[in-house]
Amino acid sequence: MADNKIFLSEKDIPQKWYNVQADMKNKLLPPLKPDGKPAGPEDFAPVFPMEIIKQEMSQERWIEIPDEVREAFKVWRPSPLQRAVNLEKALKTPARIYFKNEAVSPAGSHKLNTALPQAYYNKKQGIEKLVTETGAGQWGSAIAFASQKFGLQCEVYMVKISFEQKPYRRILMQTWGATIYASPTNRTNAGRNVLAKDPKSLGSLGIAISEAVEAAVTGKNSRYCLGSVLNHVCMHQSIIGLETEMQLKIAGEKKPDIIIGCVGGGSNFAGIAFPFIPRKMKGEDITLLGVEPSACPTLTRGPFRYDFGDEAKSMPLVKMYTLGHSFVPSGIHAGGLRYHGDSPILSQFVNEGLIQAKAYPQTPVFDAAVLFARTEGILPAPESAHAIKGAIDEAIKCRETKKEKCIVFCLSGHGHFDLGAYEAYLTGKLNDVNLDEAKLKEALAEVPVMDFKR
Ligand SMILES: *Cc1c(COP(=O)(O)O)cnc(C)c1O
């Protein structure tokens, strides 16, 4: 029997990212400008560096990872794949449960996998400052670390509810040299507009994105960067699945039966799942399951249509599952899963039936988190706990049907900065907020009616 922890050596860090766009049967529909015309590279040039724009639209299957980025990865990569033997015992399941541990990165989540290449390409183009938003603070900390690594200044608009709930993430970002603002701020038009309507706004990822984009395009020699949703981000995260595939082989697994990830904007799930898409397309029986919170049920309750990625409509529209760009989810503790939209690639795969989606309320998610912490010893991020809950339910199904499946999930991050959420759970103060249908209808009414015919 193989070890419970499967390590690779530094030389095994993938040389290339996998770009699933090359293997899509139906190519993605283009991003659209508000006038309905496709947005081209020139529309993105004030926002992103050229290399990132190229990757965003690339149809090449494999894209070289620069040596400097692979070197930077060596601080924590390759990350271990671990078999959750103690969790299996507690569940009395015949299933084999593995988790890819992305919590071991310096920033504590998978987000550094894309923060480092993004900072690198900006630096290479001579950019001096990166501006971004952060929800729960994970993206902000990743980009703060990556910015100082490659010698860039870093400015972060942090969603106010997280700024208040998670001061330690802010301090971590500041330790790595970044400047942080609680969004909505009165530093931008986008922020001022929101505050005029609702001075007590707790903010949302959509609002913070608008502020960061505005600050980046109006600032001197600065660019914006995004930690999820976009194609290049999903591609950078493919390193998770590529390593997982090697590690499963070492563990003696012929194939994973089910791969699970939590979905905020879709990048960690894309990262672990997309490298298995070619095998699935060739007919291998591999289920890919994305798990989201029922308070922000984009894939399970949103329509698949063109919408803006941000509150102030400053970015082109993309076709995705969406709850509406003005949708502000309730203040659940999985702050990283509070985004109104999802990756267009992931959305299309869900629409085509290649990928499944499921939603859970936060109480059962925290039940799963605590069981995982007590069995495997790792305190998961509330976001990652959605994937754990998904994996536990699959493992219980295996117990009931006596099936020995190989279940793999992505542990996208640790929860060391989420102890306030754990306290709420442990003291019975956590409540499950059901998404109000009227609120959803209201937000969807603001989504423009738009489509693209090839
Ligand atoms: C940001 C974050 C997520 C959600 O983002 P995705 O792009 O959907 O991966 C999930 N887990 C953790 C730990 C995060 O930091």
Side-chain angles (χ1 to χ4, degrees):
M1 190 168 144
D3 286 351
N4 289 333
K5 284 199 295 299
I6 300 130
F7 291 104
L8 297 170
S9 83
E10 287 175 4
K11 69 173 169 34
D12 299 321
I13 295 174
Q15 310 266 355
K16 291 172 181 167
W17 288 298
Y18 168 65
N19 178 18
V20 77
Q21 286 197 76
D23 291 315
M24 292 178 83
K25 295 238 161 62
N26 305 302
K27 294 299 170 195
L28 274 186
L29 292 174
L32 298 180
K33 291 187 272 192
D35 64 5
K37 297 209 173 77
E42 65 290 351
D43 296 300
F44 292 102
V47 185
F48 298 112
M50 280 323 289
E51 196 57 38
I52 289 293
I53 297 170
K54 263 201 258 168
Q55 292 184 356
E56 183 65 16
M57 307 184 170
S58 173
Q59 299 296 314
E60 265 177 76
R61 184 169 288 109
W62 297 100
I63 292 181
E64 200 84 36
I65 304 177
D67 284 343
E68 292 88 334
V69 174
R70 284 186 80 240
E71 275 310 306
F73 281 157
K74 288 181 185 171
V75 170
W76 82 102
R77 298 212 77 85
S79 67
L81 180 77
Q82 295 180 226
R83 176 130 176 226
V85 276
N86 301 303
L87 177 63
E88 289 171 15
K89 275 192 202 121
L91 295 172
K92 298 189 174 66
T93 178
R96 299 177 302 285
I97 307 174
Y98 295 85
F99 59 98
K100 178 66 167 165
N101 192 351
E102 292 297 309
V104 297
S105 93
S109 82
H110 66 289
K111 292 205 172 69
L112 208 47
N113 297 333
T114 184
L116 284 165
Q118 291 196 46
Y120 169 80
Y121 291 122
N122 274 283
K123 181 69 182 181
K124 226 179 129 198
Q125 189 175 306
I127 301 302
E128 290 166 76
K129 192 204 303 186
L130 286 181
V131 188
T132 195
E133 77 292 331
T134 193
Q138 288 108 326
W139 172 239
S141 14
I143 205 71
F145 179 83
S147 296
Q148 60 83 37
K149 170 83 200 169
F150 289 110
L152 295 157
Q153 297 165 50
C154 179
E155 192 174 291
V156 181
Y157 289 81
M158 185 171 187
V159 178
K160 192 177 273 169
I161 186 168
S162 301
F163 188 93
E164 286 167 3
Q165 280 179 353
K166 299 179 180 184
Y168 294 133
R169 276 276 170 199
R170 168 172 57 76
I171 297 162
L172 181 63
M173 291 184 260
Q174 288 164 335
T175 304
W176 280 327
T179 307
I180 323 299
Y181 303 106
S183 165
T185 72
N186 49 27
R187 297 173 52 83
T188 64
N189 287 329
R192 284 187 291 269
N193 285 343
V194 173
L195 289 174
K197 277 190 234 158
D198 177 12
K200 287 196 183 132
S201 168
L202 293 176
S204 72
L205 215 44
I207 296 167
I209 292 173
S210 304
E211 289 210 272
V213 173
E214 186 182 330
V217 300
T218 56
K220 186 177 145 278
N221 205 10
S222 54
R223 288 290 183 279
Y224 170 69
C225 52
L226 195 58
S228 185
V229 181
L230 297 180
N231 308 337
H232 66 272
V233 179
C234 293
M235 185 189 75
H236 294 157
Q237 295 296 351
S238 67
I239 196 163
I240 302 174
L242 294 171
E243 285 180 7
T244 299
E245 194 168 22
M246 288 187 255
Q247 288 161 313
L248 284 173
K249 209 178 274 173
I250 294 169
E253 299 288 352
K254 285 204 186 65
K255 75 168 176 81
D257 292 299
I258 175 156
I259 296 178
I260 304 172
C262 65
V263 176
S267 74
N268 87 87
F269 176 59
I272 194 160
F274 288 1
F276 292 89
I277 289 269
R279 289 172 60 177
K280 190 173 165 67
M281 282 176 165
K282 275 187 209 131
E284 281 190 64
D285 184 11
I286 303 174
T287 300
L288 307 173
L289 175 66
V291 182
E292 59 185 12
S294 45
C296 191
T298 317
L299 293 172
T300 50
R301 284 178 66 185
F304 181 49
R305 57 188 282 195
Y306 270 100
D307 192 12
F308 293 100
D310 69 310
E311 162 82 23
K313 314 176 197 176
S314 44
M315 303 252 277
L317 297 97
V318 290
K319 190 152 185 183
M320 61 182 177
Y321 282 95
T322 180
L323 299 172
H325 56 270
S326 61
F327 179 79
V328 180
S330 56
I332 54 163
H333 287 283
L337 306 185
R338 293 177 76 242
Y339 184 58
H340 70 271
D342 265 319
S343 144
I345 303 179
L346 171 60
S347 294
Q348 187 172 313
F349 285 151
V350 169
N351 191 252
E352 291 169 350
L354 215 54
I355 286 177
Q356 265 65 55
K358 200 171 185 177
Y360 290 111
Q362 63 180 350
T363 304
V365 164
F366 273 87
D367 291 340
V370 169
L371 178 61
F372 186 72
R374 290 179 184 176
T375 49
E376 295 301 324
I378 299 172
L379 189 86
E383 291 85 356
S384 319
H386 288 73
I388 299 174
K389 172 65 180 159
I392 287 176
D393 279 5
E394 289 300 322
I396 290 172
K397 260 192 241 163
C398 287
R399 178 178 73 207
E400 287 161 357
T401 56
K402 301 196 166 56
K403 289 216 171 95
E404 294 181 20
K405 287 191 180 177
C406 171
I407 300 171
V408 181
F409 72 87
C410 182
L411 184 76
S412 53
H414 68 61
H416 295 175
F417 292 104
D418 300 281
L419 290 168
Y422 279 90
E423 184 183 33
Y425 171 81
L426 294 170
T427 54
K429 292 195 187 99
L430 207 65
N431 46 22
D432 289 336
V433 246
N434 256 330
L435 169 57
D436 175 17
E437 194 62 40
K439 187 176 153 187
L440 177 55
K441 270 209 180 115
E442 204 178 297
L444 288 174
E446 287 185 42
V447 179
V449 179
M450 203 179 262
D451 215 344
F452 184 79
K453 296 271 169 291
R454 284 180 215 275

